[in-house]
């Protein structure tokens, strides 16, 4: 009698397939279910349904280690407002003796509490370099107007890595591109931004229209052999 009852129950039991189980390797599912996104689901289930635990936040987290100031010491002295000047910064820098403003990075960092620079560009953050190191004056002029350059810092003078002209013969100034980074002599003084820069040189059209291009230093301190006796630091532009 028990055997007959078990047979009757077995013949009447028709379990409904349970959705949510993984699909078989050949993407098959029990009768009544279909395979979507590697899961067996009821026919007609939304293909783009959110995961069971709700929508996921896929926004990219902000990397707090990224230096947005443009200066290795994370402090701007020139063009201080990052929102207004996101691609140019005046960075405090000092070094011993005369150095080439286009010298390669030393691998160290410098500026303010970081100490003196082994190379002037070490004052710029990673991904930034001294403005004009390729001799292109528009690298500077497209980031700041002449008026902004002149007043880009509350105090001081910040040098770019290009001399303010290519030659200064008796007849007229020459601006042959790319501008070099001369060691000394006529035209050698680097372009400069800041209220302590000079505007009394003979050639004033290297970056901005005459007479708006400013320079740093004196005749015997060119872009290729610059000391920090007459500047506060360097101009850094994002790469």
């Amino acid at each position: 009698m028990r055997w007959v009852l078990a047979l009757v129950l077995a013949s009447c039991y028709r379990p409904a397939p349970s959705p949510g189980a993984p699909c078989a390797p050949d993407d098959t599912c029990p009768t009544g279910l279909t395979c979507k996104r590697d899961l067996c689901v009821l026919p007609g289930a939304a293909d783009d349904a959110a995961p069971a635990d709700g929508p996921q936040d896929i926004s990219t987290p902000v990397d707090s280690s990224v230096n947005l100031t443009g200066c290795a010491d994370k402090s701007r002295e020139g063009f201080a407002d990052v929102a207004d000047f996101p691609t140019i910064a005046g960075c405090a820098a000092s070094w011993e003796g005369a150095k080439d403003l286009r010298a390669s990075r030393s691998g160290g960092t410098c500026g303010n509490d970081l100490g003196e620079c082994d190379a002037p560009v070490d004052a710029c953050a990673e991904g930034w370099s001294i403005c004009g190191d390729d001799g292109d004056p528009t690298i500077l002029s497209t980031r700041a107007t002449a008026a902004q350059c002149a007043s880009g810092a509350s105090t001081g003078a910040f040098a770019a890595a290009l001399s303010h002209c290519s030659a200064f013969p008796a007849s007229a100034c020459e601006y042959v591109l790319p501008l070099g980074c001369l060691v000394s002599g006529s035209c050698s003084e680097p372009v400069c931004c800041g209220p302590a820069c000079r505007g009394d040189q003979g050639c004033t059209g290297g970056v901005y229209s005459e007479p708006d291009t400013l320079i740093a230093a004196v005749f015997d301190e060119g872009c290729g052999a610059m000391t920090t006796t007459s500047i506060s630091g360097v101009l850094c532009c994002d790469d």
Side-chain angles (χ1 to χ4, degrees):
M1 184 64 180
R2 290 180 180 177
W3 179 84
V4 173
L5 180 59
L7 181 61
V8 171
L9 290 174
S11 63
C12 295
Y13 181 57
R14 295 289 186 271
S18 177
C23 304
D26 57 354
D27 292 338
T28 59
C29 291
T31 303
L33 298 179
T34 184
C35 185
K36 287 186 179 181
R37 295 186 177 181
D38 298 324
L39 295 177
C40 293
V41 297
L42 294 172
D47 188 50
D48 58 351
D53 56 352
Q56 303 298 301
D57 182 4
I58 59 173
S59 59
T60 303
V62 175
D63 186 352
S64 60
S65 67
V66 174
N67 184 352
L68 300 178
T69 67
C71 302
D73 61 8
K74 299 184 179 181
S75 175
R76 287 187 177 198
E77 285 69 39
F79 300 101
D81 193 325
V82 177
D84 288 341
F85 301 102
T87 60
I88 185 171
C91 303
S94 62
W95 52 82
E96 287 291 331
K99 293 188 182 294
D100 185 350
L101 289 176
R102 292 187 183 176
S104 300
R105 286 185 178 274
S106 72
T109 55
C110 60
N112 286 324
D113 294 341
L114 297 180
E116 293 188 333
C117 303
D118 291 325
V121 71
D122 292 343
C124 301
E126 288 293 331
W128 294 59
S129 55
I130 300 182
C131 305
D133 62 354
D134 61 353
D136 181 2
T138 64
I139 294 297
L140 180 54
S141 63
T142 56
R143 287 166 166 76
T145 65
Q148 290 169 334
C149 177
S151 61
S154 59
T155 185
F158 298 88
L162 73 170
S163 294
H164 66 280
C165 57
S166 56
F168 186 25
S171 57
C173 298
E174 295 181 3
Y175 305 103
V176 178
L177 301 181
L179 292 174
C181 188
L182 306 176
V183 172
S184 63
S186 298
C187 292
S188 65
E189 302 96 326
V191 174
C192 177
C193 286
C197 299
R198 294 171 48 207
D200 58 350
Q201 73 276 18
C203 298
T204 57
V207 173
Y208 302 106
S209 299
E210 295 183 353
D212 293 333
T213 301
L214 303 177
I215 65 169
V218 292
F219 183 75
D220 59 349
E221 286 190 12
C223 173
M226 190 71 191
T227 72
T228 53
T229 57
S230 61
I231 61 171
S232 312
V234 294
L235 288 171
C236 297
C237 290
D238 73 330
D239 296 335

